[in-house]
Amino acid sequence: MTSLSSLVLRNAQLCADILPGFGGALSRLDWIGGAAPVPVLRPYAGGDAAPRPNQLACFPLVPWSNRMAGGFSYGGERYDIAPNREGDSFPIHGEGWQRPWTVAFQSASQVLLMLERRDGVPFSYRASLDYALRGNALVVTLEVINTGALALPFGLGLHPWMPRSAGTTLQAAARSVWMAGADRLPSHAEAIPQAWSFDRERVLPDGLIDNVFEGWDGQARIHWPESGLNLAIAADSGYYIVYAPAGGDFFCFEPVDHLINAHNMAGGPVRHGLTMLAPGQRLRRIFSFAVT
């Protein structure tokens, strides 16, 4: 990734900065409908320095989300995938977040980015990432087409980073939460403990959360009492991941369509949210971030 050149989308209510050359990521999303801009995603604060993806406001997850236990087996074949982040034992977040995307279309309020991975192993694909400002909402459409010769399980998601204060609340109903083992991979599902029960609006707890929630209804709401703003998140996905480090000034609410390490979980990848794509088939997910 060599270019820090950004694209700016703007309407009367929102302003988004996008870095095609750095994973097609958002570097910021601000509400500009009031007297002064207010960040609704954590902005990149590094100036012109080349960012690490984890410093950015949001990046795409394709062709899978979060950690995978070193690869997977399917159809009698084993596909090994090397770790792709320093300090992590497993490959994480797919590939799209670490590759430059190209601009296919741009207007004042919309940009379409493309990523070609026809040489990918085992995943060969073409991905598109559409950012569009529509009134008070940023709508993100992420799509992948299997361009390989094999049917394989694919998954999609987004990895947004939100500002966090002592009073920040989250509401996102789910059925269960997966607990993780020492390897940080899901070990078993449990009933959601009271401190993590976001069926109703709740302040984020003081301790660490780094877990995937299952049975999500696809609707979430974040509230910042200091600014009075709300962020309504909608996604056609049945899982979300919350990463909230103890004492942090940010947290992540990641809408995803599959369980962490779904490729290797008992019952098979489709049972845990992944979509089997035959050659030429496509998978599309739509995510909306509306500010009120």
Side-chain angles (χ1 to χ4, degrees):
M1 300 181 185
T2 58
S3 174
L4 196 57
S5 176
S6 68
L7 303 177
V8 178
L9 305 182
R10 182 185 296 267
N11 65 11
Q13 301 180 68
L14 293 170
C15 181
D17 284 10
I18 299 158
L19 298 175
F22 288 83
L26 283 164
S27 61
R28 65 185 307 131
L29 176 65
D30 295 342
W31 169 254
I32 58 173
V38 180
V40 292
L41 297 179
R42 182 200 64 179
Y44 174 56
D48 291 331
R52 298 188 304 274
N54 285 356
Q55 295 176 308
L56 294 170
C58 181
F59 52 79
L61 304 174
V62 56
W64 79 86
S65 157
N66 211 275
R67 291 177 177 84
M68 182 196 298
F72 63 99
S73 298
Y74 179 71
E77 297 290 336
R78 174 68 187 177
Y79 302 99
D80 292 319
I81 301 177
N84 59 348
R85 186 173 73 177
E86 185 177 356
D88 213 306
S89 302
F90 300 123
I92 187 168
H93 296 329
E95 303 173 329
W97 66 303
Q98 295 178 316
R99 297 187 176 276
W101 295 60
T102 59
V103 180
F105 170 82
Q106 182 184 4
S107 69
S109 61
Q110 184 177 7
V111 63
L112 175 63
L113 306 180
M114 303 296 296
L115 174 63
E116 290 280 357
R117 286 287 288 143
R118 292 181 179 272
D119 57 347
V121 178
F123 295 104
S124 177
Y125 61 90
R126 180 169 67 251
S128 64
L129 179 60
D130 183 274
Y131 294 103
L133 299 183
R134 299 175 184 167
N136 67 331
L138 170 67
V139 179
V140 184
T141 304
L142 180 59
E143 181 178 282
V144 64
I145 300 174
N146 182 0
T147 59
L150 302 173
L152 289 175
F154 283 75
L156 299 174
L158 290 183
H159 197 312
W161 304 69
M162 285 80 175
R164 177 183 178 183
S165 64
T168 302
T169 63
L170 171 65
Q171 183 177 0
R175 184 176 62 248
S176 58
V177 63
W178 282 79
M179 309 308 290
D183 57 6
R184 303 177 72 181
L185 298 176
S187 58
H188 62 283
E190 291 185 359
I192 300 172
Q194 187 65 26
W196 296 0
S197 180
F198 300 110
D199 286 18
R200 297 183 180 181
E201 185 176 328
R202 178 182 294 276
V203 174
L204 291 162
D206 294 332
L208 169 70
I209 309 178
D210 189 6
N211 296 79
V212 56
F213 292 73
E214 185 174 17
W216 181 37
D217 65 3
Q219 303 290 322
R221 179 179 178 271
I222 297 165
H223 175 65
W224 293 278
E226 295 81 7
S227 65
L229 289 181
N230 301 294
L231 181 63
I233 300 172
D236 51 352
S237 304
Y239 298 79
Y240 66 80
I241 298 168
V242 175
Y243 172 59
D249 61 358
F250 71 89
F251 74 103
C252 301
F253 180 89
E254 306 162 41
V256 297
D257 64 8
H258 61 283
L259 182 66
I260 295 170
N261 198 34
H263 298 78
N264 297 294
M265 299 298 285
V270 174
R271 176 181 175 183
H272 297 290
L274 289 167
T275 300
M276 199 63 60
L277 295 184
Q281 288 187 326
R282 68 185 65 206
L283 172 65
R284 175 185 294 169
R285 300 294 180 195
I286 300 174
F287 311 88
S288 174
F289 300 85
V291 183
T292 58

